[in-house]
Amino acid sequence: MSAPDARRWWALAAMVASLLVLGFDMTILNVALPAMAEQLGATTGEQQWMADGYIVVFAALMLPAGLIGDRFGRRRMLVTGLGVFLAGSVVGALADDVTTVIAARAAMGVGAAFVMPLGMAVVPSLFAGRERAKAVGVVTAASALGLPLGPVVGGWLLDHFWWGSVFVVNIPMVAIGITACLFLLPETRDPAAPRVGVLSTALTATGLGALIYGIIEAPVRGWTDPVVLGALAAAAVLIAALVVRERRTARPMLDMALLADRSFLLNTLTVTLAMFMLSGLMFVLPPYLQAVLGNDAFGTGVRMLPLMGGLIVAAKGSAPLAERFGARAVITAGLVVLAFAGFLGSRVTAESGYGFTALWLSVAGLGFGFSMVPAMTAAIDTLPPDRAGSGSGLLTTVRQVGSAIGIAIVGSLLAAVYESRLPAGAPDAAGDSVVAAHLLGDPALTAAADAAYARGMGVVLLVSGIAALITALLAAALLPRTGSTVAAVTPDVAGATADARQ
């Protein structure tokens, strides 16, 4: 049995730094969207693409990126991914139109696709037993905490600099991540990993792209529009073709055998639902705090801190509770709390004030943490060390697909309710976004737009709460009875670590 690597906790710190950068960029743009909508003339649909351009590419390329890292070296590909992410950030900082911003975000998604699954994949190779469960919790918390932290950082930057500063902030963070990976992270690989399938990668990217496009365009064109129906039909065909192809391949890129494991499948679905709600919430909340309640960018970010506070408390307390009561009980309870937060938040109005919002945000943070952290831990615990890259890639891909679809569906639902609640004869510009309505300078129209946006956000939270409650019932009925996530951890992966290091 090989001794544990003495640098393992420093290596974990490198992963945390890298994953925080990715978390920032899932949400840091959200507080900048009102300013970008004003200065670049972006519609709600274009704002969705600025947010989703990063996430769609991120999700589509994660599986092949994980396999490339398994085969050619995880540290090497991590550094490469961070370099691509850095280049995209520079382009975004210099952009002066919507198209360039979307392209820059897509390039950042390419880099992120390498960083996320490989960052998760090195954990089983470095840690064993209880240390492994603790490390998974730290990495999971870091990837989740970056989301609510992004608006705080972005808000401060926007109050002191121009909107491009939300891209500039990545440069020092990525430099730290690259340096830490080069000096602290040991190289690991799995030469027997499946080859990356060009056709499978193309099917994944085009299928997800068509799905997101159809959902985003539906409120604008209508759900029965031929373009929308064609996009959704194409998505169904492409994704079905991907599944059929992967099931018939001897060494598939999409490891369907992992989905046959009930624990992995159900925990992955739980994480996906949580990310669906969290990403959607982070998209709809900044305009409410900024435009409707009248806060500046930094004030908006600070007012989202109750969500992060709940996440931190839950991330710290989920492991002991899972060890005592079992992962299934903690995950189910977390989803019930999340549902309660959604139902509570659905009562929001333009006159509710921040106190009520802070209350349901805190509850939502607890629900996210208690459902997502133990579910991530339990899912990763089922992965054998030699399939850590592909398995983590699959898990993270499904999770990020949930994020992308969450933003698309939530944004579309919000847009539909918002436009339907505007007064008859309202200028077309008011229908683009609540920010655009404020810019028209008509007090009566502004008040109507604020009420319409609050109603749309309430509907979004109600639907999210129902989805969380249904998932809680499924988790309680179907998740395996395990004493704890720790008990499920492979007792010793040190030998596999030694074999994987080349």
Side-chain angles (χ1 to χ4, degrees), residues 118-203:
L118 296 177
M120 301 293 278
V122 299
V123 173
S125 300
L126 292 174
F127 297 92
R130 290 179 176 273
E131 278 195 348
R132 183 180 175 194
K134 183 178 180 181
V136 168
V138 170
V139 171
T140 303
S143 62
L145 289 175
L147 273 69
L149 196 58
V152 179
V153 177
W156 185 87
L157 290 170
L158 286 170
D159 275 0
H160 293 81
F161 308 100
W162 91 115
W163 59 260
S165 60
V166 300
F167 293 94
V168 174
V169 72
N170 294 330
I171 296 174
M173 294 292 293
V174 171
I176 293 172
I178 290 174
T179 303
C181 287
L182 287 174
F183 288 97
L184 298 173
L185 193 66
E187 184 64 280
T188 60
R189 57 170 59 90
D190 174 21
R195 294 184 181 277
V196 176
V198 176
L199 179 57
S200 294
T201 301
L203 288 172

Side-chain angles (χ1 to χ4, degrees), residues 31-124:
V31 293
L33 287 177
M36 296 170 75
E38 178 180 353
Q39 296 178 32
L40 301 179
T43 66
T44 298
E46 288 172 332
Q47 292 176 59
Q48 286 175 266
W49 274 115
M50 284 191 284
D52 256 350
Y54 172 72
I55 302 173
V56 171
V57 176
F58 189 175
L61 297 182
M62 236 180 307
L63 275 175
L67 292 174
I68 290 172
D70 280 351
R71 180 174 288 272
F72 298 108
R74 291 161 184 156
R75 182 180 65 178
R76 180 184 303 169
M77 292 298 105
L78 269 170
V79 173
T80 300
L82 286 169
V84 174
F85 189 90
L86 176 61
S89 299
V90 173
V91 172
L94 301 175
D96 58 2
D97 61 84
V98 172
T99 302
T100 305
V101 172
I102 294 173
R105 292 278 290 172
M108 293 164 64
V110 174
F114 282 90
V115 178
M116 179 67 82
L118 296 177
M120 301 293 278
V122 299
V123 173

